[in-house]
C-alpha cells in the first residue's frame, strides 16, 4: 500500500514537472553559436533575430562566433553541447552542403540536431571589382568565358555561401576561374574592394553597402525576381543562367535530445521576432525578408534541410572538390 502511494506521488510530481519546463524555460542566458566570423552576413542575421527573441523570452541571447572548417567547427560544438535548450546554432545553407563537402564530418547532419525553424533566405549578388570591364551581365558572361584562365574568384572559404555561389557560376558559364579562398567574408571583400581579386558572388547582407556606395560593381541577383533594393539589376535567370536561382537560407538548431518544450518555445520566440516590423525593415535594408510564421517551425526547417542535402549532393560530387 505504501509502495502504491509512493508511486502515485511520483507520477503526480512528474505530471507537475513536465509542463513546468515549458512554462519556466528559459531561466538563464542562451548562447546562439554562429559558425562564422563576427561581422559577416550570417552573424548579421543572427544578431538581428537574437535581440528580438531575447525580448520575447525574457532572457538574453548572446551570439558566440566559432568560425573554422566551413562552419562545421561551430556546428560540431553545438552537436556536443548539453541538450537543454541553452545552446543553439544559427547556420546557413552550409548546414546542408557540408554533409557532402566533408566526407569525414564529425557529426551526422540529419540526426545530430533538433530543429527550431527557418529564419530568412538571402539572395546572392554576382559582383566584381569596381573597374571591372564588362558593362552588363551579358557582357560579363562573355568576358568571363574568354578570360577564365586569368580572372580570380574570391570566396570566404570552402563551404561558405560565396564558395557555393561561385561554384554554381563557374559551372553555369563553363569557366574554371582561379579561385582564391579566404578565412572569412571580411578579408575576401577587402581584397575585392582593393582590386586584388576580380569577382565575388556573395549575399546581399554583405554586399549592399558596397554596391550602393559604388565601391564594387554588381551584375545580377540570384533571386527568382528582381529585388526592390536593386531594381535595375537583372536576375541570373533573366540573363540566361537558370541554374543560379537560389538563396542562402538560415535556420536555428539545438543539440539532439533538447526537450520539445524548449525547441517549441524557441520557435515561438523566433516567430515573434520575424513578425517584428523593426526586424522586417532591417532585413529589407539588407535585401532579404523574414520567413513567414509557418516556416519558422521545426517541421519546416527539417524538410528544408533534407531537400537541400539532396539538391546539393550531385552538384558537389560533379565538381569533385571536397573540404577534406
Amino acid at each position: 500500500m505504501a509502495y502504491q502511494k509512493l508511486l502515485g506521488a511520483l507520477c503526480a510530481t512528474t505530471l507537475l514537472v513536465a509542463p513546468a519546463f515549458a512554462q519556466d524555460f528559459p531561466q538563464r542566458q542562451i548562447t546562439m553559436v554562429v559558425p562564422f566570423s563576427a561581422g559577416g552576413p550570417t552573424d548579421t542575421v543572427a544578431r538581428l533575430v537574437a535581440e528580438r527573441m531575447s525580448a520575447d523570452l525574457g532572457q538574453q541571447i548572446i551570439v558566440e562566433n566559432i568560425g573554422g572548417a566551413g562552419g562545421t567547427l561551430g556546428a560540431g560544438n553545438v552537436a556536443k553541447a548539453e541538450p537543454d535548450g541553452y545552446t543553439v546554432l544559427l547556420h546557413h545553407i552550409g548546414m546542408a552542403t557540408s554533409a557532402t563537402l566533408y566526407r569525414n564530418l564529425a557529426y551526422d547532419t540529419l540526426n545530430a540536431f533538433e530543429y527550431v525553424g527557418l529564419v530568412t533566405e538571402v539572395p546572392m549578388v554576382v559582383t566584381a571589382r569596381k573597374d571591372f570591364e564588362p558593362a552588363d551581365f551579358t557582357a560579363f558572361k562573355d568576358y568571363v568565358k574568354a578570360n577564365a584562365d586569368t580572372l580570380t574568384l574570391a570566396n570566404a572559404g570552402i563551404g561558405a555561401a560565396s564558395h557555393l555561389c561561385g561554384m554554381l557560376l563557374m559551372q553555369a558559364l563553363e569557366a574554371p576561374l582561379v579561385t582564391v579562398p579566404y578565412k572569412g567574408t571580411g578579408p575576401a571583400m577587402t581584397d575585392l574592394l582593393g582590386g586584388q581579386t576580380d569577382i565575388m558572388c556573395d549575399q546581399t547582407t554583405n554586399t549592399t553597402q558596397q554596391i550602393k556606395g559604388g565601391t564594387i560593381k554588381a551584375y545580377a541577383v540570384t533571386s527568382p525576381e528582381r529585388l526592390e533594393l536593386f531594381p535595375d539589376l537583372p536576375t541570373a535567370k533573366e540573363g540566361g543562367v537558370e541554374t543560379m536561382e537560389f538563396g542562402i537560407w538560415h535556420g536555428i538548431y539545438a543539440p539532439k535530445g533538447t526537450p520539445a518544450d524548449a525547441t517549441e518555445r524557441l520557435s515561438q520566440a523566433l516567430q515573434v521576432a520575424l513578425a517584428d516590423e523593426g526586424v522586417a525593415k532591417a532585413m529589407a535594408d539588407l535585401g532579404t525578408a523574414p520567413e513567414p510564421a509557418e516556416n519558422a517551425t521545426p517541421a519546416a526547417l527539417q524538410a528544408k534541410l533534407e531537400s537541400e542535402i539532396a539538391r546539393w549532393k550531385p552538384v558537389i560530387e560533379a565538381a569533385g572538390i571536397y573540404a577534406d
Side-chain angles (χ1 to χ4, degrees):
M1 191 68 176
Y3 171 77
Q4 291 177 334
K5 288 182 178 180
L6 177 60
L7 182 60
L10 287 172
C11 290
T13 301
T14 301
L15 290 172
L16 288 171
V17 170
F21 184 89
Q23 295 170 5
D24 296 343
F25 176 85
Q27 289 291 303
R28 54 185 171 85
Q29 178 177 280
I30 296 170
T31 297
M32 178 180 284
V33 172
V34 172
F36 301 102
S37 59
T42 303
D43 180 70
T44 299
V45 170
R47 293 180 189 277
L48 188 58
V49 297
E51 181 179 0
R52 187 61 186 85
M53 286 178 68
S54 296
D56 184 68
L57 292 167
Q59 294 289 342
Q60 184 182 14
I61 298 178
I62 63 163
V63 175
E64 181 180 359
N65 299 92
I66 304 178
T72 63
L73 182 60
N77 281 14
V78 174
K80 295 183 293 184
E82 186 71 24
D84 54 11
Y86 290 97
T87 302
V88 297
L89 170 73
L90 191 146
H91 203 342
H92 64 30
I93 191 175
M95 191 72 163
T97 56
S98 61
T100 304
L101 274 172
Y102 291 81
R103 292 165 292 186
N104 297 297
L105 205 55
Y107 51 88
D108 181 346
T109 304
L110 286 174
N111 298 302
F113 302 91
E114 304 291 351
Y115 304 90
V116 175
L118 286 161
V119 179
T120 186
E121 185 161 336
V122 183
M124 307 288 283
V125 188
V126 178
T127 67
R129 51 182 165 79
K130 64 180 181 180
D131 57 350
F132 202 54
E133 290 82 348
D136 55 31
F137 191 49
T138 298
F140 173 90
K141 292 187 300 178
D142 294 338
Y143 187 85
V144 169
K145 289 179 183 179
N147 298 278
D149 57 340
T150 61
L151 295 175
T152 54
L153 175 66
N155 66 57
I158 292 180
S162 50
H163 168 239
L164 301 174
C165 187
M167 184 166 56
L168 284 183
L169 178 66
M170 289 189 291
Q171 287 183 355
L173 300 183
E174 297 181 348
L177 304 174
V178 179
T179 57
V180 184
Y182 290 81
K183 293 183 178 179
T185 302
M189 179 56 72
T190 296
D191 273 9
L192 185 69
L193 290 168
Q196 282 77 41
T197 55
D198 299 307
I199 303 166
M200 185 174 175
C201 183
D202 206 3
Q203 301 172 66
T204 55
T205 46
N206 188 56
T207 56
T208 295
Q209 291 183 351
Q210 289 82 0
I211 294 170
K212 287 190 170 184
T215 53
I216 60 175
K217 188 180 287 188
Y219 286 96
V221 294
T222 66
S223 50
E225 299 176 351
R226 294 195 182 199
L227 301 178
E228 289 185 16
L229 197 63
F230 303 118
D232 295 331
L233 276 185
T235 66
K237 186 176 181 178
E238 283 181 282
V241 188
E242 295 189 10
T243 55
M244 284 194 67
E245 186 178 303
F246 79 110
I248 302 302
W249 54 272
H250 298 71
I252 298 177
Y253 308 80
K256 189 71 174 180
T258 299
D261 289 339
T263 57
E264 288 169 8
R265 180 68 186 94
L266 289 165
S267 182
Q268 290 170 7
L270 174 60
Q271 291 169 30
V272 169
L274 297 180
D276 184 83
E277 290 184 2
V279 171
K281 174 63 168 59
M283 285 191 176
D285 290 342
L286 296 170
T288 185
E291 287 285 350
E294 60 267 23
N295 288 348
T297 62
L301 176 56
Q302 182 174 1
K304 183 72 169 181
L305 180 62
E306 290 172 350
S307 66
E308 286 287 277
I309 288 176
R311 175 191 179 184
W312 283 92
K313 182 177 172 63
V315 174
I316 294 167
E317 289 179 342
I321 300 174
Y322 298 95
D324 56 13

